[in-house]
Amino acid sequence: MVLGSAPIEGQLPQNPPPVGMPPPPPNGVTVYSSETPFERQQKLETFIRSEAERFATEVGDRLKAVTLGIMNPEAGLAVRRWSVATWRWTREKPRQAGAFLSLGVLEDCLGRMQVVQTPTVILEESRPFWPDQVAARPGAAAKNFEKALEIDPSLAEARFRQARIRAARDKRALADLETMASEPAEAPFGYLAAISRAEEARSRRDTPGAVRWYERARELQPRSMAAAIGLASLGTPARLAFDELDPDDVYYTYPCVVLTPDVAPRLEARIRQVVYK
């Protein structure tokens, strides 16, 4: 059927056509278009503009976080030394649980810094967009906590940190947080599990669940500032006497600190051995 007067000889391309553009006809097939060359040019220009705008919007959204802050040189050096120290430690034989716990804590810490550009960890895959770089770190941390638990299943800090990271998508991890918060656990991990379980309930808009676990956190740590603020923000009657609350609540300080007593000094000793000239 002839639809127009301008024949277009189809050529089979090596690559598929761009999204939104019709595929070309196979070799040897003649297609007649009712569009004039001017109309076809306009359509092509419109398509190119829309694709450029879509890509620019995506890039702009991803770069917003990058423009908010860059870690200062002193802190950046501390991150690099920690990274080198743990990388060396994980290569020692026999493998030690503390090495993978320490590396996981570093990745967990950096994974929370969504608006601060930091140095990368050794062997960390480099990604073109900073939000993607940060988003991959909690998963990497969880894998290192899992390796630590394979070596030492009793390592409470690795168990808590892995469960906290995976709780949003893993029912078993969520149950593990509840178990640590409900049963006697090595301090302060039962308390941290209770607060983390409350925050997870809150993210799901489960107010009764959040209140329950904040209350459990207060049972474990009566001076908990995080629990008091959490309950007050949910409208639960509570007297906020800040002079009675712990200003050094471990919930606010633990993310970037190894808490296990026999691991922390070994990490510090290895970090001191890393010297940048």
Side-chain angles (χ1 to χ4, degrees):
M1 181 183 297
V2 178
L3 299 179
S5 59
I8 303 174
E9 292 295 337
Q11 298 294 327
L12 186 62
Q14 295 182 351
N15 297 315
V19 176
M21 295 294 286
N27 287 333
V29 176
T30 300
V31 176
Y32 294 90
S33 172
S34 60
E35 296 177 339
T36 66
F38 176 74
E39 289 172 334
R40 291 199 296 274
Q41 181 67 25
Q42 275 194 321
K43 181 180 288 187
L44 180 60
E45 290 177 357
T46 300
F47 171 75
I48 292 173
R49 278 199 304 271
S50 65
E51 286 296 290
E53 290 173 0
R54 181 184 64 81
F55 182 73
T57 300
E58 180 181 348
V59 172
D61 289 342
R62 291 172 177 268
L63 291 179
K64 286 177 182 176
V66 178
T67 62
L68 294 181
I70 298 177
M71 182 172 281
N72 67 58
E74 183 178 351
L77 178 60
V79 168
R80 287 192 291 272
R81 293 179 66 195
W82 187 339
S83 175
V84 171
T86 52
W87 176 73
R88 290 174 177 173
W89 195 2
T90 58
R91 292 166 61 86
E92 294 180 13
K93 302 295 182 181
R95 299 196 312 167
Q96 300 178 45
F100 294 96
L101 171 64
S102 299
L103 177 55
V105 171
L106 175 60
E107 292 168 328
D108 186 14
C109 169
L110 298 180
R112 299 168 189 249
M113 298 185 184
Q114 299 180 5
V115 296
V116 178
Q117 192 168 11
T118 70
T120 55
V121 179
I122 289 181
L123 299 183
E124 179 180 18
E125 180 183 350
S126 181
R127 292 171 171 79
F129 297 109
W130 185 249
D132 294 338
Q133 193 80 34
V134 177
R137 286 171 169 173
K143 290 179 181 178
N144 278 307
F145 296 141
E146 187 174 348
K147 291 178 182 178
L149 290 169
E150 290 173 357
I151 300 169
D152 182 3
S154 68
L155 194 56
E157 182 170 4
R159 180 185 171 196
F160 156 68
R161 288 182 182 268
Q162 177 186 237
R164 185 203 67 80
I165 290 172
R166 293 180 170 170
R169 297 180 177 86
D170 188 331
K171 292 182 178 180
R172 289 178 298 179
L174 194 66
D176 206 14
L177 276 184
E178 294 178 359
T179 299
M180 294 189 74
S182 302
E183 299 177 355
E186 180 182 336
F189 303 114
Y191 163 69
L192 291 173
I195 288 285
S196 298
R197 182 62 183 86
E199 291 294 314
E200 179 61 29
R202 185 169 186 158
S203 71
R204 299 168 185 250
R205 301 184 184 277
D206 176 13
T207 300
V211 170
R212 172 192 171 192
W213 291 108
Y214 280 133
E215 291 285 9
R216 175 55 180 164
R218 285 212 303 185
E219 292 174 6
L220 296 171
Q221 176 54 270
R223 298 181 63 218
S224 168
M225 182 173 290
I229 293 174
L231 287 167
S233 66
L234 292 173
T236 301
R239 184 170 59 88
L240 274 178
F242 283 98
D243 58 334
E244 298 176 6
L245 301 177
D246 183 5
D248 299 317
D249 190 335
V250 68
Y251 179 71
Y252 298 118
T253 60
Y254 89 89
C256 297
V257 179
V258 174
L259 298 175
T260 304
D262 65 333
V263 175
R266 285 186 285 160
L267 172 61
E268 292 174 4
R270 284 170 167 79
I271 289 175
R272 286 196 294 269
Q273 295 172 2
V274 178
V275 179
Y276 279 89
K277 297 182 180 179

